[in-house]
Amino acid sequence: MRLTSPWWLIALPAAWAAVLLIVRHGRATVGRRQHRWAVAIRLTVVTLLGVSLAGPLWVRPVDEVSVFFVVDRSASIPTDARAAQDAYLAEALSDTGPQVRSGVLVFGADARVDVALRAGRTTAGISTVVDDSATDLASALRATGALLPTEGSRRVVVLTDAVPTTGDARLAATELAEAGVAVDVVVVSTGRGEDTLVEGVDLPASVREGDDVTATIRVRSNVAGRADLAVTTAAGEVVRLPVDLEVGSNTFDVTIPGGDVGVLTVEARIDRPGDTRPENDAAQGLTRVLGPATVAIVEGRAGEGQQLAAALLAGGIRSDLLAQVPDEAALLSYDAVILVNVPAPAEPVIEALASYVEDLGRGLLVIGGDRSYGMGGYGDTGLEDLLPVRSNPDDLVRRQPVAEVLVIDTSGSMGACHCGTGSGIEGGVNKTDISRAGAYQAIQALDDQDFVGVVTVSTGTDWVLPLGLKPTEDDARKALGGMSAEGNTEIVNGLRAALDELSGVNDALRHIVLFTDGWDPNDNGLLPIAREIADAGITLSVLGTGEGPGTTLQRMASVGGGRYYPGTDLQSIPDIFVEETLTVARNLIDEGVFQPVLAAPSQITASLDASPPLLGYVLTNPKGTASTPLLIGQNDPLLATWQRGLGRATAWTSDASPRWSAAWVEWDGYVAFWGAVVRDLLPAGVDSPPEIRMGEGQMSIRFEVEDAPLDAAAVARVRRPNGEVSVVPLQRTGTSTFVGSTATPAPGAYWVSVSVESAGAVLASGSGGAVSAYEEEFAFRSPDPTLAADLAASTRGRVDPPATAVFDPAPSIGGAETPLWPALTAVALALFLIDVALRRLVLQSGDVGAWKEAVTPRRRRADRPVFDPDAGEMRAPEPPPETDTVGRLLRRKNR
């Protein structure tokens, strides 16, 4: 018997003492002898309960034998070795007794049960397929231990080539030994055959544009002979040369032309007759071709980033204008990414940008506009987390009033549908009625502190609703009710009237909405008035019916910094009126004339003495750890920046187009300012990236930092082929050298960024990449010479046992365990009831006799006839003798 929780027995003395203490100070209600029996039974009950809590198990021997065969099916096991495994299994399982149970588990990178543990099985061959890209013997042993029973003879028979690529098989065997499971190891000879592999391609961490690249090719072979080595670049250039191989390691230096700025991939492939494993005949290396800093400028609208690109080029920074964020591979060609008035991209794109900044140490700059930050849906996205400002509308508690004028065309052409070439056709949708409904709904969408006015345009202008605070519903309905379609179209005069009125309004977002079909004889004056409106800091949006000169109307909206709605579906015009009004009324944009103000010290603004004003910006809030070198408006952030992982992220809340930055584009300091902003984002250490080397399933990292202080600490972030990022601490091995390593079990590209910090500041950083070309199963690895013996010794198992001996009893026999606590608890409960009876009932010496008399059957009545056997007939009974009635009654009374 054994106890699962023996520490409960420690509590027994205390429980006994408590029982005796209660008995000592209690008052007995029964006789002394009966009381003593009750105390003894109570102590017995406490003892039984304490033993039950200790978890007693009755262990009895079991004759069953359980054997699990663990079969290695990784890619390093060739066909002939697999046939040998199947033959071993067939021989071992050909004759099993009734007390024998067996099962088969197959493993590679994962482990799966081929046949569950059961009795009387004859193998029909292994049919289970596993991931053969690795050999994880440790996981297979742990899985088998969970499948084996806890009693009887238990044994694991491992059939493997003793070349594990991951996990600690020795530690897993120790865990099995603690459970009493023996491990036998059958080492299968794989007969590697002739094999030549490319261990790696070593390249300089970086090269200059136009320079040749020297690649060191590391080749291993188990046979000597002649082979052909081909080195290919990403541009398709191939260098071929014959080489003489020796047994063991071989190195060859090959010079190839350098590529364009970006990441250069070099592949080396060896071709030798008689090679038996083509999977490991090629490997790749990466180097970075350095040139002038290059950034990607992603435009929300075409043309919005042109002035910025020209300024950066003038400052020596090359840029590419793009319509969307490049994919992950293309991102690596840029030192920084600039988003110019770009709405929030899809989440996978944001995740790529976050990794680009945080893990690879590159830069990100977001420039504002009417499609960025809160207007672009940045709130509650990963892009919001990446930036040093908050743009979620829920975080912005301040709202600026709106001053809006609705300029509505009420000429004769607005009273009928223009469906053809431009001549009026009576009937259809009355566009004046549509505009009346839209204007009413737009007015109702404003707040009470907003200003609104409605001016109609025909042969002249008419303020049907003068510019003022939002009117009541009745006043708005009455003012709009007098609109009618007649006369010519004079859009310029209507816009001029709206401009004059809004010019006298301060401290408000000023906006004009024009609704027209575009049939204005003075078409030449439309764009100039739109420019005047924009120069005054007022935005202009246009709702067209799609029948007039739509190109001109669209250009007006573009010049005026607003939006253009073609309005092909006239029924949607009221909704568009409301949408446009709500867009401009949101508390996300502040427009006017604002002078930037210097705030936190920064190298970006160190030489900035003065700057032109800006005409608007997107409202944001700075985050706690962000630096804000420039403020605007009511101490809102204009330029904010911070360190994000290994890279930097910067936010500019104004735009880069003439809408808000018209004066900045013409400013003499424009080139120097934006050059300073972008250079602050460029990754440090591009000229000294880490040295990365791949081999035998490991990546070694080496990073040099001159004059690093004693408290400097280095860390590497490794981005694996599946996108996962791991952090690898680097150990200091010299005054300027930091080294570390990590496993690379999966083939593919590994990107590494290293940073060295001291006192919370980043001293140096660098990034680079390397490629693991093939799975570790195909690496040139020899069997572990002591693995089989170590596993067997730690578990009292055997090495290479014959197939007929695998079912021999294991050294440690596990017994069947039956819990005893239910029986002990039942006895304790029964004794507890007896204890209660002894404490509550008074027992005396005559009670037993009285009980016997009470249960004894009464004598037959004397007057009943009885059978006489001598006479063979029934006869009357004899009369009873005389009795002492008084004495009998007294005896009953006494009892």
Side-chain angles (χ1 to χ4, degrees):
M1 186 182 75
R2 73 181 185 91
L3 303 176
T4 59
S5 305
W7 52 84
W8 280 103
L9 298 180
I10 301 176
L12 280 179
W16 292 335
V19 171
L20 294 177
L21 184 64
I22 293 173
V23 170
R24 181 180 183 87
H25 293 281
R27 183 171 63 86
T29 59
V30 296
R32 178 175 299 176
R33 179 180 298 177
Q34 183 175 337
H35 180 66
R36 289 175 179 175
W37 275 105
V39 172
I41 292 175
R42 198 176 311 172
L43 290 173
T44 303
V45 169
V46 171
T47 303
L48 291 175
L49 291 177
V51 175
S52 298
L53 291 173
L57 297 174
W58 174 40
V59 183
R60 66 183 188 278
V62 176
D63 297 332
E64 288 183 344
V65 177
S66 301
V67 176
F68 234 116
F69 294 89
V70 178
V71 184
D72 184 353
R73 289 299 206 198
S74 60
S76 61
I77 306 294
T79 303
D80 55 347
R82 298 189 180 203
Q85 291 175 333
D86 292 340
Y88 188 94
L89 282 175
E91 183 181 356
L93 297 170
S94 60
D95 184 16
T96 57
Q99 298 296 321
V100 172
R101 293 184 295 172
S102 63
V104 178
L105 181 139
V106 185
F107 75 97
D110 56 351
R112 298 182 181 180
V113 175
D114 185 66
V115 176
L117 194 67
R118 65 187 185 187
R121 174 190 177 275
T122 301
T123 182
I126 294 174
S127 60
T128 301
V129 178
V130 295
D131 180 0
D132 64 357
S133 62
T135 303
D136 191 353
L137 177 56
S139 296
L141 290 175
R142 290 189 175 93
T144 307
L147 296 171
L148 284 169
T150 58
E151 68 270 1
S153 171
R154 293 156 296 152
R155 189 183 297 275
V156 175
V157 180
V158 181
L159 288 80
T160 180
D161 60 355
V163 188
T165 60
T166 185
D168 190 342
R170 291 176 173 83
L171 178 60
T174 303
E175 297 170 2
L176 290 180
E178 294 175 353
V181 179
V183 177
D184 294 348
V185 182
V186 179
V187 180
V188 180
S189 176
T190 57
R192 187 177 187 93
E194 296 184 1
D195 189 18
T196 301
L197 61 83
V198 181
E199 282 191 305
V201 179
D202 297 333
L203 297 170
S206 63
V207 296
R208 285 294 176 183
E209 184 180 15
D211 293 345
D212 291 338
V213 180
T214 299
T216 300
I217 317 300
R218 293 180 284 115
V219 180
R220 291 190 68 181
S221 180
N222 59 6
V223 295
R226 191 79 166 174
D228 291 326
L229 181 64
V231 181
T232 308
T233 67
E237 299 175 353
V238 182
V239 177
R240 300 183 184 274
L241 67 157
V243 294
D244 292 319
L245 298 175
E246 299 177 354
V247 176
S249 297
N250 302 265
T251 58
F252 307 98
D253 290 335
V254 181
T255 300
I256 57 176
D260 296 330
V261 174
V263 177
L264 175 64
T265 303
V266 178
E267 179 182 273
R269 180 174 294 276
I270 195 75
D271 183 12
R272 186 187 60 79
D275 186 44
T276 59
R277 295 196 177 187
E279 297 89 349
N280 55 18
D281 289 349
Q284 293 178 328
L286 299 176
T287 186
R288 191 172 180 202
V289 181
L290 302 176
T294 304
V295 299
I297 300 178
V298 183
E299 298 177 301
R301 295 190 185 96
E304 288 186 315
Q306 289 181 350
Q307 289 92 345
L308 178 61
L312 294 180
L313 182 60
I317 300 176
R318 300 195 309 185
S319 63
D320 293 336
L321 286 172
L322 306 174
Q324 60 184 11
V325 179
D327 58 26
E328 279 189 89
L331 275 175
L332 297 173
S333 302
Y334 299 103
D335 298 290
V337 173
I338 303 175
L339 304 182
V340 180
N341 197 21
V342 174
E347 201 60 34
V349 177
I350 295 176
E351 291 175 1
L353 283 174
S355 177
Y356 173 81
V357 174
E358 297 172 343
D359 303 326
L360 300 180
R362 310 298 171 85
L364 173 67
L365 169 63
V366 174
I367 294 179
D370 58 1
R371 305 177 68 186
S372 64
Y373 297 107
M375 300 292 290
Y378 288 11
D380 299 325
T381 68
L383 187 57
E384 175 95 339
D385 298 334
L386 196 59
L387 294 177
V389 295
R390 288 187 296 271
S391 57
N392 192 326
D394 295 337
D395 297 331
L396 303 171
V397 298
R398 176 170 48 83
R399 184 188 185 280
Q400 189 177 18
V402 172
E404 182 176 66
V405 173
L406 306 178
V407 180
I408 300 176
D409 182 357
T410 57
S411 62
S413 61
M414 294 291 290
C417 174
H418 285 258
C419 307
T421 60
S423 58
I425 300 177
E426 296 299 328
V429 179
N430 187 316
K431 288 170 283 188
T432 300
D433 292 340
I434 291 292
S435 62
R436 181 185 295 109
Y440 175 78
Q441 294 184 26
I443 292 171
Q444 299 309 311
L446 294 170
D447 287 345
D448 291 341
Q449 70 268 28
D450 293 331
F451 294 81
V452 64
V454 179
V455 58
T456 60
V457 178
S458 57
T459 305
T461 60
D462 181 20
W463 283 93
V464 298
L465 183 65
L467 182 63
L469 288 173
K470 174 186 172 182
T472 64
E473 294 184 17
D474 291 341
D475 291 343
R477 190 176 287 109
K478 181 184 299 184
L480 298 173
M483 293 169 48
S484 61
E486 58 181 354
N488 298 322
T489 305
E490 297 181 359
I491 298 176
V492 174
N493 293 335
L495 293 177
R496 174 73 62 187
L499 173 60
D500 293 341
E501 286 293 319
L502 289 175
S503 297
V505 177
N506 298 318
D507 300 327
L509 294 175
R510 298 176 297 172
H511 188 57
I512 297 174
V513 180
L514 169 65
F515 178 52
T516 178
D517 58 8
W519 298 109
D520 189 344
N522 189 21
D523 186 26
N524 295 330
L526 293 177
L527 292 180
I529 188 63
R531 291 191 184 93
E532 289 187 47
I533 292 173
D535 292 342
I538 302 170
T539 54
L540 169 66
S541 293
V542 180
L543 281 69
T545 65
E547 300 160 7
T551 302
T552 301
L553 297 180
Q554 187 171 0
R555 292 178 61 190
M556 288 177 63
S558 177
V559 171
R563 287 151 294 276
Y564 173 69
Y565 303 90
T568 53
D569 179 11
L570 294 185
Q571 300 291 352
S572 66
I573 293 297
D575 294 334
I576 295 176
F577 262 107
V578 175
E579 177 185 347
E580 177 64 18
T581 299
L582 290 178
T583 298
V584 73
R586 293 170 67 185
N587 63 331
L588 304 180
I589 289 179
D590 202 350
E591 292 183 307
V593 179
F594 305 99
Q595 188 65 45
V597 177
L598 289 171
S602 170
Q603 62 180 3
I604 301 174
T605 57
S607 59
L608 186 65
D609 297 327
S611 69
L614 292 165
L615 303 181
Y617 64 97
V618 184
L619 298 179
T620 60
N621 284 333
K623 294 181 180 178
T625 57
S627 173
T628 52
L630 289 175
L631 298 176
I632 194 171
Q634 300 181 22
N635 291 327
D636 295 316
L638 173 61
L639 179 67
T641 184
W642 69 351
Q643 187 76 25
R644 185 69 182 185
L646 297 180
R648 294 189 66 79
T650 298
W652 173 263
T653 60
S654 189
D655 66 1
S657 66
R659 175 178 177 180
W660 294 337
S661 303
W664 277 61
V665 173
E666 305 296 333
W667 175 41
D668 292 340
Y670 188 73
V671 171
F673 174 78
W674 282 114
V677 171
V678 173
R679 284 191 175 86
D680 182 64
L681 296 172
L682 298 180
V686 295
D687 293 327
S688 57
E691 178 184 327
I692 305 169
R693 181 165 177 163
M694 309 287 284
E696 296 191 358
Q698 293 285 320
M699 171 196 292
S700 61
I701 304 168
R702 179 186 178 95
F703 193 61
E704 299 284 344
V705 180
E706 295 294 337
D707 301 325
L710 295 177
D711 63 343
V715 65
R717 291 175 178 262
V718 180
R719 192 171 191 273
R720 302 180 181 276
N722 60 0
E724 295 181 357
V725 177
S726 59
V727 178
V728 180
L730 302 185
Q731 303 297 321
R732 189 167 191 167
T733 60
T735 57
S736 60
T737 304
F738 298 85
V739 298
S741 63
T742 184
T744 56
Y750 290 77
W751 296 100
V752 180
S753 59
V754 180
S755 65
V756 180
E757 296 185 6
S758 176
V762 178
L763 301 179
S765 64
S767 61
V771 177
S772 176
Y774 45 82
E775 295 163 347
E776 192 57 25
E777 280 294 308
F778 299 110
F780 208 86
R781 302 179 64 155
S782 300
D784 188 332
T786 64
L787 178 63
D790 292 345
L791 299 184
S794 64
T795 61
R796 301 170 66 187
R798 302 166 296 185
V799 177
D800 293 330
T804 56
V806 295
F807 293 106
D808 293 346
S812 178
I813 306 298
E817 298 176 339
T818 303
L820 298 179
W821 69 265
L824 296 178
T825 304
V827 173
L829 178 60
L831 292 177
F832 172 72
L833 297 177
I834 295 175
D835 173 43
V836 173
L838 290 176
R839 287 186 285 113
R840 300 300 180 189
L841 301 178
V842 179
L843 302 179
Q844 297 181 358
S845 59
D847 290 343
V848 176
W851 174 79
K852 293 176 66 176
E853 180 179 347
V855 299
T856 301
R858 295 182 179 181
R859 295 178 180 178
R860 295 191 187 97
R861 292 181 56 181
D863 56 349
R864 292 181 178 175
V866 297
F867 179 75
D868 185 356
D870 295 332
E873 60 182 5
M874 299 294 293
R875 64 179 178 82
E878 296 180 0
E882 293 292 333
T883 58
D884 184 2
T885 303
V886 176
R888 179 168 52 83
L889 292 175
L890 289 174
R891 286 193 298 274
R892 287 188 176 181
K893 179 181 178 183
N894 291 334
R895 284 198 299 271

